[in-house]
Amino acid sequence: MKIYYQHAGNMQEQRQSIILFILTGRKESYNILFRIFLLFFFVGFFPADTIGQTPISVISEYAYRRYTTLDGLPQMLTECIYQDRKGYIWIGSLSGFVRYDGFEFKPFLKGKQENILSFYESPEGEITALGFRRKHLVNKEDTLFSVPFQYKGLLLNNYNSSSLPMGFLILENEEETGREICCITNDSIQSLLKNSLLDLMDNTRKVYLSQNKKIYYIPTEERVYCLKEDGTSLPEINLPEVYSLLESNDHLYLFAADGIYEYANNKIKTKVAYHFLAPDYGVSACADTKGNIFIHDAHNIYRLSQNGKIEHLVDGINLIKQMYIDRESNLWLATYQGVYNFFQMNFKNHILTDKNDILRAIEEDEHENLFAGTLNGQLLQDKKGENMTPLPYSRNKDNYFLPRAARIGDTIFFLGKGDVLACTSQTQCWLNLPTLNYQYLTAYKDSLLIATRQELFITDAKGHIRRKYDGLKGIFCAQSDNQGNIYVGTIYGLVCLQGNFQKGIVLPEENRVCTSIIAKPDGDILFSAGEDLYTLRNDSAVLLHKYGSLIRSIRQTQNNYLVVATINGLHITDTHSMQTMFFNQYNGFTGIEPLAAHIAETEDGTIWIPCVNQTVSFNPQELIYKYNIPPLELISAKSSADNVNWNEIYTENNQNIELDHSQRNLYFSYIAVSHSATGNIRYCYRLKGFQENWSQPQTRREVQFNNLPSGHYELEVIAKIGNLSSQPIHIAIHLKPAFWEHWWFWVTIFLILAASIWGLAYNYYKRRNQKNIEELKREIKLNHLLIKSIRLKSIPHFNANVLAGIEYFMMNNSVEEANKYLTLYSRFTNSTLLDVDKPSRSLEEEIQYVRFYLSLEKLRYEENLSYSIQIEKDVDMHIQVPNMILHTYCENAVKHGLRNKPGKGHIYIEISQIKRGINLIVTDDGIGRQAALAFSSTSTKQGLSIMAQQIELYNQRNNEHIIQTITDLVTSDGKPCGTRFELYIPYHYNYF
């Protein structure tokens, strides 16, 4: 923006540039006749071969950040700027307004063609944006309400009221007359001053109210009128062409086209005579907290310093509508090219006019002469660095300078292509070193350390090589301490050279590239590897800090400020207070990617850092100062039951929050708005009742807690800049317990549980007793059945018949047959008596028993009775079967089926195995049960009945039951022909 000039370059090009400048100069700077005169003067008196003025090689400008529609502005044409008490910047444009928190813009009236001309902040902190006809209120919940002015049909004057205090404005009619100074509130508009003198102002002049003297100053083309607040006239200030006024440090300044005047005791005196370049739209001013007064016209910014001089700071701005200085002394401009933030004018950028060239190496000599070398091999010199002129030297056309420089005495050394250039104010010469690909240069006492990637040389100031070190690989940097040791940064880490001895320095991580190294004034070594900064302790690397971005270069200043340039920005640490500040494009440092270069420091403490796009200069002492911590604000507090649907739970009027037990997930966002310490504010929090210790400082402006138990909590948040902390914000939170978390719920549950346990125990013992009783009854019944069975088996008819048969054998047949049947009967009787009280016995024993029985019955019936027993091979003969089950079936077959059958009868016993047990079948070919009833109507059928009852009792103890089936057999023509008894017995059946 601000261009300085030097003598150099092509004469013809310079001549053309000057003629073009004369023809296209601004209308406010040159009238037509004057331009014609200049044109003839340069063409007639300065031929093309004699004109030697050309734009110099360096453009110097203060760093700024420009906000456009790409950043979130609703339109490039902006009108006004205001900072509220919380620190937010409000910007009015021709298409609504926005709020800026240092990170992003929040739009209002988006998409509407509403020209916002001013802002008003109520005592409650609500913002009202003012248009020509309407006002737009933004409440604390960011809800927008728009209403018309409704005051006499007047419109807002946007030209003459911008110097009035906040809330004061000028209203006028459609013809721009009938002006009144009014005070606006959220609810009403109050007229303060109505005077025809207000109509005398044109659009370039601004009314000023001295709040100390309670006087209105109305500048016009001829003079300045003075009125008390009640409209009483005071003596006029007879100074023409005054555009605006400003009261600063008890001095009243008047700003006119030809300079600045001071008015005191009814007298006018010239403060500074100065012709402002573009007063077409007036001249306005504002003051910062340091006593500097900043002035602007339509396109330029100036500064009236405390020594009474005007400095032209910036030009080339397209129509400045308002200049605003916030509470951190950041300078803002509302223009028709967007919004500019010049921060505190602490950073300056230096750019070469040749877009294909950049400054790479800078250093100052003992006489405060600044030297600079460029990528394309240009050598520049200047006393302060702002008016740098080319310095001739013997150079090859393809020479270039690397970003390395060193100083010994009054000589500056630059690392060029294959050699080192030694520069003073009078001479520039090469050291004539061996032509190698040198990559690094630094001072070493009265000598130089010069390195290629593989070798390190020590030379004197004349270029004579004193020592050479080889065997090193991938050299990036080198430095010596105060004990004569040389430390070399390589691709494999740091190496210490002690005479002829080389020793590697142990790093926490092996094979880390060491890219920059310096020696502090006390001799301590600092070096970087990647994102980490180290120092040396007993030949071991000690980590000092992790910067989170690749370190490019480091410098310890003469005032003990540590400057660390990283890819992402600039870190400056005050080594006394250990306070570190970070600077990037958000707060003034607009250089893109600092080079891995020598950082220069001039005698006045100015630091010069070459970057890819420009070189940046600044004074660290002006950057590290006591910041005022901005007020901390809780933006939002939300709760959720599922981490998906969130509900807002906080208002400024309610610092105590009560939540239902289901809202166990909490989210909070907060901010301390700063536009100069952006990126340096850290936040700490704690949720008392959940975590009592403060969290680590972090840049995140939000925190979330999940699955909190019910209880009372208190959220505390503080903002920190370095060692300074803000006042904490406190939010009390009561997460109400669920009904099951109350004491009475657990008492009730205990009582219910105790009653349930008692009821279960009572029921258990009752059922057990009932089961025991039923078991006893079952045992009694079973015993009764056994007794009946014994009695049944002991029926004398069978015994008498058997004994009679034996007697018959004894009388009529052989004694051997009688003895045989007597032995058989004895064994049968013995088995009956032994097993009669058993509920079961093995299948083998049951078959043996039934054989005894049928053999004895055959003694009686002789050839009329026969039987057969068929057993499958796989049948388990040890399976337990109900006692006397086959005997019962066979006895029933003999007694009811075969006894009354004429002729022969047969009993067939079949035993087979099925899936889960065995199957017993007893079949006879007798007369059948129905026919047997006719022969024996007195039959009790006790045998089958007792057996059925026993089986039923047994089944009650088992999950799988014995199944008994009795089938009456008939012939094809329906006549009875016998009976079949079938019994299924499961394996593992329990009879006890």
Side-chain angles (χ1 to χ4, degrees):
M1 290 180 182
K2 187 173 182 181
I3 302 178
Y4 302 89
Y5 292 87
Q6 70 175 20
H7 294 275
N10 183 280
M11 297 289 188
Q12 182 64 27
E13 291 179 358
Q14 296 176 50
R15 180 176 183 270
Q16 294 174 357
S17 298
I18 293 174
I19 294 174
L20 182 64
F21 176 74
I22 293 172
L23 292 176
T24 60
R26 294 197 186 95
K27 64 179 181 178
E28 64 270 16
S29 300
Y30 303 96
N31 58 38
I32 300 299
L33 293 177
F34 186 54
R35 294 184 202 176
I36 294 173
F37 169 76
L38 286 178
L39 182 59
F40 278 102
F41 178 80
F42 276 93
V43 173
F45 293 95
F46 291 91
D49 58 349
T50 61
I51 298 177
Q53 294 290 328
T54 187
I56 68 159
S57 299
V58 176
I59 299 173
S60 297
E61 62 182 18
Y62 285 99
Y64 64 88
R65 187 179 182 196
R66 180 182 170 205
Y67 304 94
T68 68
T69 50
L70 298 178
D71 300 296
L73 288 179
Q75 193 179 95
M76 297 291 285
L77 304 180
T78 56
E79 289 278 357
C80 57
I81 298 176
Y82 174 73
Q83 185 179 36
D84 64 21
R85 66 191 65 173
K86 295 178 180 178
Y88 293 102
I89 293 293
W90 297 80
I91 301 170
S93 76
L94 270 65
S95 297
F97 60 103
V98 292
R99 182 182 65 202
Y100 182 56
D101 62 5
F103 297 95
E104 59 185 3
F105 291 90
K106 179 177 178 59
F108 298 89
L109 297 175
K110 187 174 182 180
K112 295 184 179 180
Q113 293 296 320
E114 181 74 12
N115 195 353
I116 301 302
L117 309 171
S118 182
F119 292 98
Y120 163 73
E121 184 176 11
S122 70
E124 296 78 24
E126 296 179 331
I127 298 295
T128 299
L130 306 173
F132 282 112
R133 300 176 182 274
R134 285 177 291 274
K135 57 181 181 178
H136 310 276
L137 173 66
V138 180
N139 64 15
K140 294 181 180 180
E141 287 74 36
D142 279 353
T143 304
L144 184 66
F145 301 93
S146 299
V147 295
F149 269 120
Q150 296 181 347
Y151 184 76
K152 302 179 183 180
L154 298 180
L155 309 178
L156 180 63
N157 176 299
N158 65 319
Y159 294 108
N160 307 116
S161 58
S162 60
S163 293
L164 291 172
M166 187 269 296
F168 286 67
L169 48 87
I170 296 177
L171 299 180
E172 62 188 12
N173 58 30
E174 296 277 1
E175 290 75 28
E176 299 184 359
T177 60
R179 293 171 176 169
E180 297 183 32
I181 297 179
C182 302
C183 179
I184 187 172
T185 66
N186 285 348
D187 302 322
S188 64
I189 297 176
Q190 178 184 358
S191 179
L192 300 178
L193 177 66
K194 182 176 182 180
N195 195 295
S196 59
L197 294 175
L198 296 171
D199 296 339
L200 299 179
M201 293 186 297
D202 59 30
N203 292 338
T204 64
R205 310 182 198 280
K206 296 174 175 56
V207 178
Y208 185 77
L209 171 62
S210 171
Q211 293 181 307
N212 293 331
K213 300 175 183 179
K214 308 299 182 184
I215 297 175
Y216 287 102
Y217 296 93
I218 305 173
T220 68
E221 188 175 356
E222 297 178 352
R223 60 183 59 83
V224 178
Y225 295 96
C226 306
L227 300 176
K228 290 184 178 180
E229 287 186 326
D230 59 3
T232 303
S233 297
L234 294 174
E236 303 166 356
I237 302 175
N238 291 310
L239 182 66
E241 294 297 339
V242 173
Y243 294 104
S244 62
L245 299 90
L246 178 66
E247 197 170 31
S248 176
N249 297 326
D250 297 326
H251 296 278
L252 183 64
Y253 297 103
L254 296 84
F255 300 90
D258 59 353
I260 303 174
Y261 298 85
E262 186 176 349
Y263 181 71
N265 300 321
N266 296 327
K267 295 182 180 180
I268 303 172
K269 69 175 183 178
T270 301
K271 178 70 175 177
V272 182
Y274 191 88
H275 285 278
F276 296 103
L277 298 178
D280 307 53
Y281 293 91
V283 177
S284 298
C286 54
D288 65 10
T289 57
K290 301 176 183 178
N292 295 312
I293 296 178
F294 292 88
I295 309 109
H296 78 85
D297 57 23
H299 306 290
N300 305 274
I301 301 177
Y302 315 86
R303 177 166 55 194
L304 175 62
S305 60
Q306 296 180 1
N307 60 11
K309 295 183 179 180
I310 291 182
E311 178 186 3
H312 187 193
L313 302 178
V314 179
D315 69 355
I317 304 292
N318 184 9
L319 194 52
I320 302 172
K321 294 293 292 184
Q322 183 184 357
M323 181 168 60
Y324 187 88
I325 297 178
D326 66 18
R327 65 190 180 198
E328 296 172 298
S329 297
N330 296 306
L331 181 66
W332 298 79
L333 297 180
T335 77
Y336 276 11
Q337 289 179 315
V339 172
Y340 292 82
N341 181 4
F342 282 87
F343 308 102
Q344 291 104 5
M345 297 282 187
N346 288 328
F347 288 94
K348 225 170 192 181
N349 298 332
H350 309 274
I351 307 171
L352 293 175
T353 53
D354 183 356
K355 301 302 181 183
N356 297 317
D357 201 2
I358 60 171
L359 293 170
R360 299 189 82 189
I362 300 174
E363 188 55 275
E364 185 186 51
D365 67 10
E366 289 182 339
H367 308 291
E368 300 184 16
N369 295 308
L370 197 68
F371 295 83
T374 75
L375 173 64
N376 292 341
Q378 189 175 11
L379 185 64
L380 306 175
Q381 180 193 16
D382 179 54
K383 192 71 175 177
K384 292 295 183 182
E386 294 183 344
N387 217 3
M388 305 187 82
T389 58
L391 199 61
Y393 71 99
S394 175
R395 58 172 291 188
N396 297 323
K397 64 178 182 178
D398 58 347
N399 182 57
Y400 55 83
F401 288 111
L402 282 82
R404 301 296 176 185
R407 187 180 84 176
I408 300 176
D410 63 349
T411 304
I412 305 300
F413 299 89
F414 290 102
L415 188 60
K417 180 183 178 182
D419 205 348
V420 173
L421 182 68
C423 303
T424 65
S425 298
Q426 290 76 34
T427 62
Q428 298 81 41
C429 63
W430 294 99
L431 297 186
N432 293 321
L433 296 171
T435 303
L436 298 172
N437 186 18
Y438 299 108
Q439 298 293 320
Y440 187 78
L441 167 71
T442 189
Y444 172 52
K445 299 179 181 178
D446 61 347
S447 304
L448 294 173
L449 291 177
I450 307 172
T452 67
R453 282 286 182 248
Q454 310 299 330
E455 299 172 308
L456 177 68
F457 301 90
I458 300 178
T459 74
D460 61 15
K462 301 297 184 181
H464 301 117
I465 297 176
R466 294 177 174 176
R467 187 161 190 170
K468 174 183 175 183
Y469 295 92
D470 50 18
L472 300 167
K473 296 182 179 180
I475 299 175
F476 277 93
C477 55
Q479 188 58 258
S480 63
D481 62 10
N482 56 6
Q483 297 178 355
N485 301 316
I486 298 176
Y487 293 90
V488 183
T490 73
I491 195 172
Y492 299 108
L494 192 66
V495 177
C496 177
L497 304 179
Q498 297 175 332
N500 296 323
F501 180 70
Q502 296 184 13
K503 178 174 63 175
I505 302 300
V506 178
L507 293 178
E509 297 179 26
E510 295 183 358
N511 298 330
R512 297 203 66 186
V513 180
C514 177
T515 54
S516 59
I517 185 171
I518 64 167
K520 296 169 61 178
D522 59 5
D524 286 351
I525 295 294
L526 297 179
F527 67 94
S528 66
E531 301 176 351
D532 303 334
L533 182 67
Y534 296 90
T535 188
L536 291 180
R537 294 287 186 272
N538 299 322
D539 291 336
S540 294
V542 177
L543 179 64
L544 292 180
H545 191 75
K546 286 182 171 291
Y547 285 93
S549 178
L550 184 65
I551 297 174
R552 304 292 282 168
S553 54
I554 51 181
R555 172 87 187 203
Q556 178 93 13
T557 72
Q558 57 194 8
N559 293 325
N560 289 318
Y561 292 102
L562 178 63
V563 179
V564 179
T566 69
I567 291 288
N568 291 341
L570 190 66
H571 301 261
I572 303 176
T573 301
D574 184 346
T575 56
H576 293 301
S577 64
M578 297 309 296
Q579 176 176 327
T580 298
M581 299 294 292
F582 175 66
F583 298 91
N584 59 10
Q585 72 272 21
Y586 291 103
N587 59 343
F589 183 76
T590 56
I592 298 175
E593 190 174 333
L595 300 178
H598 168 71
I599 297 179
E601 180 182 10
T602 60
E603 188 65 27
D604 61 358
T606 300
I607 295 296
W608 294 73
I609 298 182
C611 301
V612 169
N613 62 330
Q614 61 198 13
T615 294
V616 181
S617 65
F618 58 91
N619 191 323
Q621 197 163 1
E622 296 177 358
L623 296 175
I624 305 294
Y625 62 89
K626 293 291 183 181
Y627 281 90
N628 292 321
I629 300 292
L632 183 61
E633 178 196 10
L634 184 67
I635 299 176
S636 176
K638 298 179 181 179
S639 68
S640 174
D642 53 10
N643 264 329
V644 176
N645 302 302
W646 293 89
N647 305 307
E648 190 69 42
I649 57 176
Y650 172 78
T651 61
E652 288 189 10
N653 298 326
N654 181 18
Q655 301 289 321
N656 298 313
I657 299 173
E658 285 201 0
L659 298 172
D660 184 70
H661 71 277
S662 62
Q663 304 295 305
R664 295 181 178 274
N665 305 299
L666 302 181
Y667 167 85
F668 302 93
S669 61
Y670 37 79
I671 191 172
V673 180
S674 173
H675 303 283
S676 59
T678 307
N680 291 297
I681 298 180
R682 301 290 187 269
Y683 300 91
C684 301
Y685 64 86
R686 62 179 177 181
L687 187 63
K688 299 175 76 173
F690 180 71
Q691 61 180 61
E692 300 300 322
N693 297 325
W694 288 99
S695 68
Q696 291 296 317
Q698 59 185 24
T699 56
R700 287 188 60 195
R701 295 175 285 118
E702 59 185 9
V703 62
Q704 184 170 331
F705 302 96
N706 292 323
N707 298 319
L708 288 173
S710 58
H712 290 271
Y713 303 96
E714 183 179 8
L715 176 69
E716 293 184 344
V717 184
I718 59 173
K720 304 186 70 171
I721 298 180
N723 300 323
L724 305 176
S725 299
S726 69
Q727 291 294 322
I729 54 176
H730 301 269
I731 302 295
I733 305 164
H734 179 206
L735 193 59
K736 293 186 288 188
F739 67 88
W740 60 81
E741 295 177 312
H742 290 278
W743 65 268
W744 51 262
F745 174 81
W746 291 106
V747 170
T748 303
I749 290 296
F750 174 78
L751 294 176
I752 293 173
L753 187 60
S756 299
I757 293 174
W758 181 86
L760 290 173
Y762 174 79
N763 187 55
Y764 169 76
Y765 285 109
K766 183 178 180 180
R767 290 178 62 185
R768 192 178 70 171
N769 292 335
Q770 183 68 29
K771 184 177 180 181
N772 292 337
I773 292 172
E774 291 178 356
E775 188 71 22
L776 289 174
K777 290 181 178 179
R778 190 160 48 245
E779 293 292 337
I780 292 171
K781 186 175 182 181
L782 188 57
N783 291 333
H784 177 69
L785 291 174
L786 289 174
I787 293 172
K788 290 179 68 178
S789 177
I790 293 171
R791 289 175 179 174
L792 181 64
K793 305 311 175 190
S794 302
I795 294 175
H797 302 289
F798 173 74
N799 294 327
N801 292 334
V802 171
L803 290 174
I806 293 173
E807 182 181 5
Y808 173 79
F809 270 98
M810 291 178 67
M811 296 295 296
N812 300 308
N813 296 311
S814 64
V815 176
E816 287 83 2
E817 288 291 328
N819 288 334
K820 172 185 174 183
Y821 283 106
L822 183 62
T823 301
L824 183 64
Y825 174 70
S826 173
R827 293 176 63 186
F828 173 77
T829 304
N830 183 60
S831 178
T832 300
L833 296 175
L834 288 175
D835 296 336
V836 72
D837 60 339
K838 296 178 180 180
S840 67
R841 58 184 167 193
S842 68
L843 177 60
E844 183 179 14
E845 293 173 338
E846 183 65 20
I847 292 174
Q848 183 64 36
Y849 183 75
V850 80
R851 287 182 188 274
F852 292 156
Y853 169 72
L854 291 176
S855 296
L856 293 173
E857 287 287 8
K858 190 171 177 59
L859 176 64
R860 176 183 175 188
Y861 291 98
E862 296 180 349
E863 288 83 3
N864 290 331
L865 174 63
S866 64
Y867 68 91
S868 62
I869 301 175
Q870 183 177 352
I871 304 174
E872 291 185 356
K873 293 181 179 180
D874 296 333
V875 173
D876 183 7
M877 300 299 292
H878 300 288
I879 186 174
Q880 295 291 309
V881 299
N883 193 10
M884 296 185 179
I885 186 66
L886 291 178
H887 169 265
T888 302
Y889 291 155
C890 290
E891 183 186 31
N892 190 78
V894 171
K895 182 178 179 181
H896 300 291
L898 302 178
R899 184 175 61 179
N900 298 311
K901 177 183 178 183
K904 296 180 180 180
H906 185 78
I907 297 175
Y908 178 67
I909 300 174
E910 181 183 2
I911 301 174
S912 61
Q913 178 176 310
I914 56 178
K915 290 183 179 181
R916 301 176 60 87
I918 62 172
N919 206 35
L920 308 179
I921 301 175
V922 177
T923 307
D924 67 77
D925 56 356
I927 63 175
R929 291 187 299 170
Q930 293 297 327
L933 288 176
F935 292 99
S936 180
S937 59
T938 59
S939 175
T940 61
K941 300 180 182 179
Q942 289 186 20
L944 292 176
S945 176
I946 292 172
M947 184 57 65
Q949 293 179 58
Q950 286 179 321
I951 290 173
E952 181 181 355
L953 292 173
Y954 296 150
N955 282 341
Q956 292 176 6
R957 300 180 181 181
N958 293 271
N959 294 327
E960 193 170 3
H961 297 167
I962 292 175
I963 301 174
Q964 177 181 253
T965 306
I966 302 175
T967 306
D968 293 318
L969 303 177
V970 294
T971 60
S972 58
D973 55 358
K975 294 181 179 181
C977 63
T979 306
R980 182 170 65 192
F981 298 90
E982 186 174 352
L983 188 72
Y984 165 72
I985 303 174
Y987 288 125
H988 311 296
Y989 194 81
N990 182 21
Y991 297 90
F992 300 94

